[in-house]
Amino acid sequence: MIENKGISIWFFIGSLLLIYGVAITIANVYEMISPSMEKQIVLRELNFGVWWGILLVIVGLIYFINFRPWKKGNNNKN
Amino acid sequence: MINNFHSLLTIMMTDPTNLLSLGWVDSFIIIVYFIFVLGIGYYLLRFTKTGEDFFMAGRKMTAWIAGLSFVAANLGSLELMGWAASAYQYGILATHWYWIGAIPAMLFLGIIMMPFYYISKTHSVPGYLKLRFGEGSSMLSAVSFGFMTVFMSGINMYSMAIVMKVVLGWDIHFSIWVSSITVMVYVVLGGLLSAIFNEVLQFMLIWLGALIIPIIGLIETGGWDGMVERISQNFPAGDYTHLWSTMGSFQDNPMGIHWTGIVFGLGLIISFAYWTTDFLVVQRVLSAKDLRSAKMAPIIGAGFKMMVPFIVILPGLLGLAVILPPLVGENQVSAMNPHSYNEVLPLMLARYAGPGLLGLGVTALIAGFMSGMAGNVSAFATVWTYDIYKPTHLKLSKKEESDAYYVKIGRWCTVLGVFVSIGTAYLVQQFASIMDYVQALFSFFVAPLFGTVILGMLWKRATAAGGFWGLFAGIGSSIGMWAWVKIYPGALKYIALSEHAKDMAENMYRALWSWLICVIVTVVVSYLTRPKADSELVGLVRGCTDIPSEGDLPLIKRPIFWASIVFAIFIVLNIIFW
């Protein structure tokens, strides 16, 4: 965050992406197992939502772990 | 709570013709977004004690944070929707606003202008004008910037509410009040620091939400070549995928513009004026922790700006390739062609986005609006407090107030800015033509201001009288040219060099002429008046200021090295898509 104090903005971003990634992965795995009939999207067979959710979880985890405030030396990073 | 919010969103979907409908996970994503931005504002309250903290984010931002927020603040409310629609209408020509209309100016700001803004320790662009030219020019630019910023913010707010109504069926009042009060709360709490942090978060969300369309779209069309082939099949008469080859004549391209208008009007005047003197974006860079970071921030911003067409222009082009029947203008919508090209982005989202991804896409639209509005409001609060309120208060009361007093005023100005924006949004709802007039009004000030600032920075002979009268003449001539064409449309062939010129071309040529008039008047008046001594121009003007050398830095850490790389990529991209 700002110099010499506080939590890094990248930690907030990592946390948000992690939450989003988990929610999107769960929703799309459920959709893959029991597809809804009301909404048909193009290229549904690619299960893009599952892959995007996993990508968000990975990116979120990297930021979350790397910029966690309880890690030594992380309180002076933007 | 999520179920309640979801029910609320569902209830508001009163129109069965909505382009998109949200599921529970989409509502969850939107509500978590609002919790995060408010939470960040609340968390940052403890770090916002002094005026420097509130108005300049403590001048402690790294180049990356300042650079990302620099681009995010510009993304604005309708950036994604509007430029995707323009790409559908005009093809790849819309990319000029991201490349030649931004990159050279951003690099110029970083390398040439930033040292003077930064070394002078000014808090704003009008603040720089005060140091360089005195109170007259400063007050003229501060008042025009302050009012235009909140008015534009209101117009964007109303436009966004309309988009949310069309796309999701949300109530207009709900969109206006929820989004603007959220922005107000987090900017009042954490000032510029909060605005910048949320802009970085919003920038990430905009990319992650919007990136879905070009990726799946290119898979569907079989890559770039497949997309171009489909566009040629759907629209055999038009050329939608070349940047420059159709610009030899006004009639050869759908924008009705000649390459001179793009290069000189957009590339040299409008973009330089916006990116180097619009305080909304410059404020982000002024928050950098040191001069090297301040120089690097616009360069990093330019790198990201160059990539934005991937999420903004490409969806429009993909729409040309895959959406049938073709989209039409708003006034041509019928049972045969039910959608206008303004709806291309939500239509593409509906085509590709499954559960959650839809919520992420809608969050990207909301984040775009909020980052733009926070930019407007925080810049307004700074200019109003430091450049209008403080000198006026000093003159009237003859009393210097404490730093805490001005922080309090800044917080109230934020509230005032938000409410004036909301008022403007409702005014536009009643009188739609106000939107055109305010947008025209905004364009009157930008180009002449660039003339005044650039002469002030690079020419030490420019005097206070020259600066004021040049700015005044530039603004006056811009208004005069606009009124001339309004009263006598035949004047278009003199202003825009062709009677076939469209509005966009007219704006560009008007900017070019008003800039030239500002420069000529500034030079003439300066030669007729007494200049300041060199000693008074230290830190403000090239030739009178010692700019710290970067000779001791390794090549890889020098801003000029990275600016050269970005510029080289910019040239290559223009050649590839020629």
Side-chain angles (χ1 to χ4, degrees):
Chain A
M1 216 210 55
I2 52 179
E3 292 224 324
N4 303 322
K5 51 188 180 181
I7 302 170
S8 166
I9 178 62
W10 303 111
F11 175 75
F12 288 110
I13 290 172
S15 310
L16 186 65
L17 297 189
L18 193 54
I19 294 168
Y20 280 179
V22 169
I24 289 172
T25 308
I26 291 171
N28 282 276
V29 167
Y30 180 77
E31 177 74 14
M32 196 167 74
I33 296 165
S34 61
S36 63
M37 289 298 117
E38 58 186 74
K39 195 185 167 203
Q40 296 290 332
I41 56 165
V42 174
L43 296 177
R44 187 181 201 162
E45 64 279 9
L46 291 179
N47 296 312
F48 189 79
V50 178
W51 295 111
W52 203 246
I54 293 171
L55 176 80
L56 292 186
V57 169
I58 293 169
V59 175
L61 265 178
I62 290 170
Y63 279 110
F64 183 85
I65 293 169
N66 204 26
F67 291 94
R68 64 191 187 279
W70 53 92
K71 182 182 169 188
K72 207 177 167 187
N74 259 1
N75 276 354
N76 57 1
K77 287 185 184 177
N78 267 355
Chain B
M1 186 181 176
I2 291 159
N3 277 339
N4 289 343
F5 188 76
H6 181 219
S7 313
L8 185 62
L9 298 187
T10 312
I11 288 164
M12 284 183 303
M13 291 174 202
T14 49
D15 185 352
T17 60
N18 297 337
L19 298 178
L20 305 176
S21 58
L22 303 176
W24 68 267
V25 69
D26 302 308
S27 302
F28 170 80
I29 282 172
I30 295 170
I31 197 169
V32 168
Y33 164 76
F34 276 93
I35 291 171
F36 257 75
V37 292
L38 288 171
I40 289 174
Y42 178 71
Y43 172 71
L44 293 176
L45 173 64
R46 71 195 71 181
F47 301 113
T48 315
K49 304 287 185 214
T50 66
E52 194 82 342
D53 294 335
F54 188 83
F55 297 109
M56 304 309 299
R59 291 194 204 259
K60 288 174 180 170
M61 297 296 106
T62 61
W64 278 94
I65 302 278
L68 291 181
S69 112
F70 177 66
V71 185
N74 157 263
L75 272 175
S77 64
L78 298 175
E79 186 83 0
L80 299 174
M81 294 273 298
W83 283 108
S86 294
Y88 189 93
Q89 193 180 359
Y90 301 121
I92 203 171
L93 290 185
T95 310
H96 284 308
W97 271 255
Y98 288 88
W99 290 354
I100 195 167
I103 307 305
M106 291 166 94
L107 300 179
F108 186 81
L109 171 69
I111 299 299
I112 306 293
M113 295 176 75
M114 214 53 230
F116 304 106
Y117 276 136
Y118 199 82
I119 291 171
S120 68
K121 286 286 168 204
T122 181
H123 47 266
S124 70
V125 175
Y128 174 81
L129 288 180
K130 187 178 178 184
L131 296 171
R132 177 64 181 88
F133 291 123
E135 195 106 346
S137 317
S138 168
M139 201 50 102
L140 183 59
S141 74
V143 170
S144 57
F145 174 83
F147 282 103
M148 290 309 106
T149 299
V150 287
F151 287 160
M152 284 300 285
S153 174
I155 286 174
N156 288 340
M157 190 190 293
Y158 175 69
S159 308
M160 186 62 186
I162 290 288
V163 166
M164 286 304 170
K165 181 168 175 55
V166 173
V167 174
L168 293 163
W170 287 4
D171 181 75
I172 285 183
H173 306 291
F174 174 84
S175 296
I176 287 178
W177 285 93
V178 169
S179 54
S180 54
I181 295 296
T182 306
V183 170
M184 184 181 84
V185 169
Y186 76 70
V187 178
V188 164
L189 290 172
L192 183 63
L193 186 61
S194 184
I196 286 179
F197 271 41
N198 275 310
E199 280 158 8
V200 175
L201 180 93
Q202 286 150 355
F203 186 78
M204 298 289 282
L205 290 178
I206 289 166
W207 270 92
L208 290 167
L211 205 53
I212 302 156
I213 296 172
I215 292 175
I216 310 184
L218 285 176
I219 294 173
E220 186 189 358
T221 56
W224 175 265
D225 291 339
M227 182 193 77
V228 172
E229 201 180 311
R230 285 201 197 193
I231 294 175
S232 311
Q233 285 165 6
N234 294 347
F235 303 91
D239 184 339
Y240 289 88
T241 50
H242 288 98
L243 265 180
W244 292 103
S245 59
T246 59
M247 307 221 74
S249 134
F250 285 93
Q251 289 100 320
D252 285 352
N253 61 79
M255 243 179 212
I257 195 163
H258 190 253
W259 68 268
T260 52
I262 290 286
V263 172
F264 298 112
L266 174 67
L268 283 182
I269 304 301
I270 291 184
S271 80
F272 273 72
Y274 175 75
W275 287 102
T276 65
T277 62
D278 190 319
F279 181 52
L280 189 156
V281 287
V282 172
Q283 187 181 28
R284 271 76 198 139
V285 188
L286 289 175
S287 71
K289 63 179 181 177
D290 53 36
L291 179 57
R292 196 187 80 85
S293 302
K295 289 171 82 174
M296 278 302 293
I299 297 166
I300 291 169
F304 280 100
K305 184 76 180 172
M306 210 153 46
M307 293 192 284
V308 174
F310 193 70
I311 55 167
V312 175
I313 307 297
L314 196 48
L317 296 178
L318 285 162
L320 285 166
V322 301
I323 296 178
L324 289 171
L327 307 178
V328 291
E330 287 288 356
N331 49 5
Q332 297 162 299
V333 170
S334 63
M336 293 284 286
N337 298 89
H339 297 292
S340 85
Y341 41 67
N342 288 332
E343 295 164 6
V344 63
L345 195 72
L347 284 171
M348 296 297 278
L349 260 182
R351 184 179 182 89
Y352 297 133
L357 299 186
L358 202 53
L360 204 56
V362 172
T363 304
L365 293 178
I366 298 172
F369 163 70
M370 287 171 66
S371 64
M373 187 180 180
N376 280 317
V377 167
S378 53
F380 168 79
T382 307
V383 166
W384 186 268
T385 306
Y386 276 141
D387 298 307
I388 299 173
Y389 182 83
K390 192 174 177 181
T392 312
H393 180 70
L394 260 176
K395 242 179 222 164
L396 296 176
S397 72
K398 313 271 182 226
K399 194 174 104 187
E400 182 65 80
E401 300 286 354
S402 67
D403 188 51
Y405 174 82
Y406 288 113
V407 173
K408 194 174 80 182
I409 294 294
R411 289 201 156 105
W412 279 112
C413 284
T414 306
V415 175
L416 175 74
V418 168
F419 279 98
V420 174
S421 296
I422 292 173
T424 309
Y426 280 107
L427 207 61
V428 173
Q429 192 179 2
Q430 298 298 317
F431 309 100
S433 58
I434 289 175
M435 195 183 290
D436 296 333
Y437 287 109
V438 173
Q439 276 166 346
L441 208 54
F442 195 75
S443 74
F444 298 149
F445 299 99
V446 177
L449 180 61
F450 171 58
T452 308
V453 172
I454 197 71
L455 281 176
M457 278 184 182
L458 303 183
W459 191 47
K460 64 182 181 182
R461 184 66 182 75
T463 65
F468 176 78
W469 288 111
L471 185 59
F472 194 79
I475 293 169
S477 63
S478 187
I479 295 170
M481 283 183 276
W482 177 81
W484 190 23
V485 175
K486 278 272 171 210
I487 295 164
Y488 171 59
L492 191 64
K493 66 179 172 218
Y494 303 112
I495 303 291
L497 307 180
S498 165
E499 54 197 339
H500 302 292
K502 302 269 170 67
D503 287 354
M504 242 177 221
E506 185 203 336
N507 285 340
M508 273 174 222
Y509 283 103
R510 199 175 63 234
L512 181 59
W513 305 138
S514 61
W515 180 81
L516 273 174
I517 289 167
C518 168
V519 168
I520 291 166
V521 172
T522 306
V523 170
V524 171
V525 175
S526 293
Y527 275 123
L528 296 173
T529 45
R530 186 188 295 275
K532 281 184 176 177
D534 282 9
S535 59
E536 293 178 67
L537 300 176
V538 173
L540 299 171
V541 187
R542 196 176 184 86
C544 302
T545 307
D546 285 330
I547 297 170
S549 163
E550 287 161 357
D552 55 327
L553 289 172
L555 188 64
I556 202 158
K557 288 198 166 178
R558 289 189 206 171
I560 188 72
F561 170 74
W562 289 106
S564 308
I565 300 248
V566 171
F567 193 73
I569 297 171
F570 158 74
I571 296 289
V572 170
L573 284 172
N574 275 279
I575 293 170
I576 290 173
F577 294 99
W578 189 271

